Structure formats: C-alpha cells, structure tokens
Amino acid sequence: MAELHLIGQIVGASGFPSSRLFCKWGIHTGGAWKLLSGLREGQTQVDHPQLGDVAYWSHPIDVHFATKGLQGWPKLHVQVWHQDPFGRRELYGYGFCHVPCSPGWHALACVTWQPLGSWQERLSQLFVGGGPQLLNSDLIYTGADRYRLQTSAAGTVHLELGVLLRHFARYGVEC
Amino acid sequence: MAAAAAPTVFLLMVNGQIESAQFPAFDDLYCKYCFVYGHDWAPTTGLEEGISQITSKNRDAQQALVWNFPIDITFKSTNPSGWPQIVVSVYGPDLFGNDVVRGYGAVHVPFTPGSHRRTIPMFVPESTSKLQKITSWLMGRHPEFTDPKVVAQGEGREVITVRSQGFVTISFNVVTKDMKKLGYDVSPSDMQNPSVVSLTDGIHNH
C-alpha cells in the first residue's frame, strides 16, 4: 500500500473583518484511504494579534494515511470563526483545499466564503452578529447542491503543508 | 560499502541557527529552544535544548533582536510520523524586572534536504478576564504554559486564547540519509527546484 504523510501547519488567516479568530479544520478522504496515525480534525486556539491584522495559529498537522487507490485524494477543509471579547462565537468563513499531490513543502492560500441570508438576516447580522451557517458541513468540500447557496467572499487561510509520499513510484504513479 | 539488508532506519541531520526576532514592544530578550518529536524518533547526537544570550535592540531603525544561536542535532527514526518540531520560547523582563514569557512558537523541521528559512509567529496565552489581566500585570505573574512542548501539539488548543506579538526567524540546513532507500519521496520527481535536490540523487539510480 502506498502511504502519504502530511506534516505542516495551519499558519493563520487574513482578510477577515476582525482578527480575533480560530479555525476548526478537518481532513476528508475517500474510501480507499485509511488513517494510520495523527488527528484528522481539530480546532486551533483563539488568536488576538497585537501586530497587524493577521491571526496566527501555528497549528501543527501530522497525519499518516495509507491508500489503495488515487480516488478521494485528501481534502483539508476549514471553518474560520470569530470570538469576541464576550466569548460569543460567530462564523466568518468556510473553505477547503486539496492536499498537494507532489511531495515537498507547499505554501497554500485557501480562499473562504460565507453564506449570505436574506436582506432581513443581513440587517440583523449587522446589529447583533450571527448569520446563517451550513446545516451539513459536507457542503464545504463537495459540489453537490451548491447551486442552492448564495455566498459572499471572506478572507484567506494560510497553510504550510509538507507532503511525503512512500511507494507511489512502485505502483507506477508519477507525482 | 555494501549493505547486507535493506535499511529500516533513516537519519535526519539538522543544523542551523535561531537568527533573530522582531518584537516591536519588547527589548532585552533571550530565547530557549527544545525539540518535540514522536515515539518513533530518537536523537542520536547533538543538543536537544538550549538557552541563548540576552540581546537588545540596536539604535537603528530596523529594531531587530539578533541571537545567531546555533542548532545542531541528528535524529534517527523508522517512521516520519511525529516529525521533529523545534519549539522556541522567548523571555524578557517586564516593567518591574520579573522574567516573563514574551512568546512561544513552533515549526516542523523541514524535510527536503537543503537550506530553508522560516519566520514563525510567537504568541503568549492571554487571560480572558480583564481583572486577571490587571493583577497579572501588577504581580508580574503572566499566564504561561507549564510545559512549552504543549505548543507543538494540536490537541487541547481549543480552550486557550493567545496573543501573537512577534516573530522569530530560524534558518535550517537539512540532510537526510536512507529516506529514498525506504521508499520516501520528499521532492517532486521532475526536480523543478534545483535548490532542494536530494544529496543522494547523483548516486542512486531509480
């Protein structure tokens, strides 16, 4: 079986309305992939940056997968949340990106989006915060049923991922 | 030399330095580093921890804090899971002269052979209540982690709030041995980036 190691960090996020942010992340794979070690989901700490407006998490990711096939290549999905000084949490963006296919170190910028509600919901969101969230978080990384959704652009999540592949050449896979 | 059996262990040699830091609000800082690694890893030679000198900012506009502190360690392992991370903690005096922590940061040691430079953000834990912030400022006892190695883990981070307030720049030179023999690919096969060519590439045939 071929193996993939994902060793890196969720560095931080920028471009959001406020920088007191944290991130919930997860890795989704197809049926042929098996997790051998590491955590495949987690939540970062809440950062309150003093310099500039980029929130830094430096959240380590160290996952080891074994696979029998190329389908269902791992996808890393993120949800960026804001925590205000009172401890309330609201959603700021959803995003996903595929784990890079070539071995080596990659710096990725994952774009995110936020669901938009009706104009009444947007007006109340302006005053009290909150806002629509996805009921089913699968929609973050699948394309089915997206046509029903209206969203607006949100900021960017910065990742540094190192990909280590093993035995892919033995099966004739070029990457 | 002829190897009778296929290797089961690979080596990772890292040397480099903790170059400098940027902390606009603080001065007179020193740093400590340590390595955090998984169960399958063991250091063979070199120092796992160190404390640097105390450095101050120069008068010029750059305001960099330079340590130029050497790192030199070799690991052996059977499994890339638990790849070593370097955890850096920076300390300095507060207004009353107490030694307080000014930042923690961690980064994985790069795994492609060659020279690398990483600038990592440094953060401190923050109390969530304003009263506790005032008393900790007065008493000189700011929140800190009981063990800096916590910074290298992903679990349990959802309950803490931190403040990022500086950066540290580290440069690494990495050499690996026998990773290719064990079947690991650390760089793409078309070798677009010549600066990360593995040292063993000229010797082994695919």
Side-chain angles (χ1 to χ4, degrees):
Chain A
M1 301 233 280
E3 295 170 30
L4 181 148
H5 288 268
L6 186 62
I7 296 168
Q9 290 188 346
I10 306 180
V11 177
S14 62
F16 289 93
S18 154
S19 12
R20 275 186 107 114
L21 304 170
F22 69 95
C23 170
K24 297 191 200 185
W25 62 274
I27 301 181
H28 177 261
T29 56
W33 295 77
K34 192 169 103 151
L35 179 70
L36 294 181
S37 75
L39 299 168
R40 77 186 307 162
E41 58 185 18
Q43 187 174 320
T44 68
Q45 62 220 15
V46 181
D47 187 35
H48 181 199
Q50 304 293 299
L51 311 171
D53 54 2
V54 180
Y56 287 104
W57 301 309
S58 296
H59 189 93
I61 297 180
D62 194 335
V63 211
H64 183 191
F65 287 106
T67 182
K68 299 188 288 235
L70 287 178
Q71 272 68 41
W73 192 273
K75 297 188 254 214
L76 199 143
H77 58 267
V78 293
Q79 302 179 21
V80 180
W81 290 74
H82 165 65
Q83 176 165 313
D84 68 7
F86 300 110
R88 295 177 308 170
R89 295 173 162 190
E90 66 178 307
L91 177 82
Y92 264 15
Y94 295 113
F96 93 96
C97 62
H98 278 98
V99 164
C101 298
S102 62
W105 187 79
H106 307 268
L108 303 172
C110 176
V111 293
T112 61
W113 48 269
Q114 194 179 13
L116 269 186
S118 61
W119 68 267
Q120 295 97 326
E121 285 169 356
R122 269 181 261 167
L123 190 62
S124 79
Q125 187 176 357
L126 195 65
F127 289 109
V128 300
Q133 299 170 21
L134 288 177
L135 269 181
N136 182 6
S137 55
D138 284 354
L139 216 60
I140 305 174
Y141 47 83
T142 56
D145 282 344
R146 283 263 191 121
Y147 65 92
R148 300 165 191 265
L149 204 54
Q150 183 161 13
T151 66
S152 69
T156 318
V157 174
H158 303 281
L159 306 147
E160 286 177 358
L161 296 178
V163 174
L164 206 60
L165 300 179
R166 188 180 193 202
H167 295 326
F168 273 71
R170 203 192 264 179
Y171 297 96
V173 175
E174 294 128 4
C175 50
Chain B
M1 49 185 160
T8 52
V9 169
F10 64 89
L11 292 183
L12 168 73
M13 189 206 77
V14 188
N15 55 37
Q17 46 168 304
I18 303 182
E19 285 187 3
S20 61
Q22 277 100 37
F23 279 88
F26 306 110
D27 204 353
D28 297 324
L29 303 175
Y30 68 94
C31 73
K32 290 198 216 181
Y33 77 86
C34 64
F35 284 94
V36 176
Y37 41 87
H39 298 298
D40 297 313
W41 289 79
T44 55
T45 60
L47 297 169
E48 260 189 77
E49 311 183 313
I51 304 185
S52 76
Q53 76 273 22
I54 303 178
T55 187
S56 325
K57 289 175 184 164
N58 207 342
R59 293 264 176 269
D60 65 4
Q62 265 186 341
Q63 298 279 288
L65 292 138
V66 172
W67 287 305
N68 192 215
F69 188 47
I71 301 169
D72 196 343
I73 191 164
T74 306
F75 290 97
K76 68 172 188 217
S77 173
T78 53
N79 184 3
S81 282
W83 195 275
Q85 297 181 56
I86 184 170
V87 173
V88 179
S89 342
V90 174
Y91 299 86
D94 72 352
L95 192 61
F96 305 108
N98 306 308
D99 215 16
V100 293
V101 66
R102 293 304 188 196
Y104 298 100
V107 71
H108 282 103
V109 168
F111 52 76
T112 43
S115 305
H116 308 270
R117 190 192 236 138
R118 299 276 188 261
T119 300
I120 61 178
M122 305 297 284
F123 52 83
V124 285
E126 192 180 54
S127 354
T128 38
S129 79
K130 289 225 162 27
L131 179 65
Q132 197 173 10
K133 281 187 193 155
I134 295 172
T135 47
S136 66
W137 180 82
L138 277 174
M139 306 292 285
R141 283 202 290 264
H142 297 253
E144 51 185 76
F145 292 120
T146 49
D147 182 3
K149 298 190 177 188
V150 163
V151 168
Q153 290 167 4
E155 303 139 317
R157 308 236 305 205
E158 58 262 14
V159 295
I160 54 178
T161 307
V162 297
R163 285 211 318 249
S164 49
Q165 51 189 21
F167 298 93
V168 166
T169 304
I170 311 177
S171 62
F172 296 99
N173 296 313
V174 172
V175 172
T176 59
K177 175 179 187 284
D178 288 340
M179 283 199 82
K180 217 162 207 155
K181 278 200 197 140
L182 285 167
Y184 291 102
D185 283 320
V186 297
S187 29
S189 45
D190 58 3
M191 294 302 177
Q192 272 172 339
N193 189 352
S195 70
V196 294
V197 164
S198 164
L199 281 182
T200 55
D201 254 335
I203 307 169
H204 297 289
N205 299 322
H206 291 281

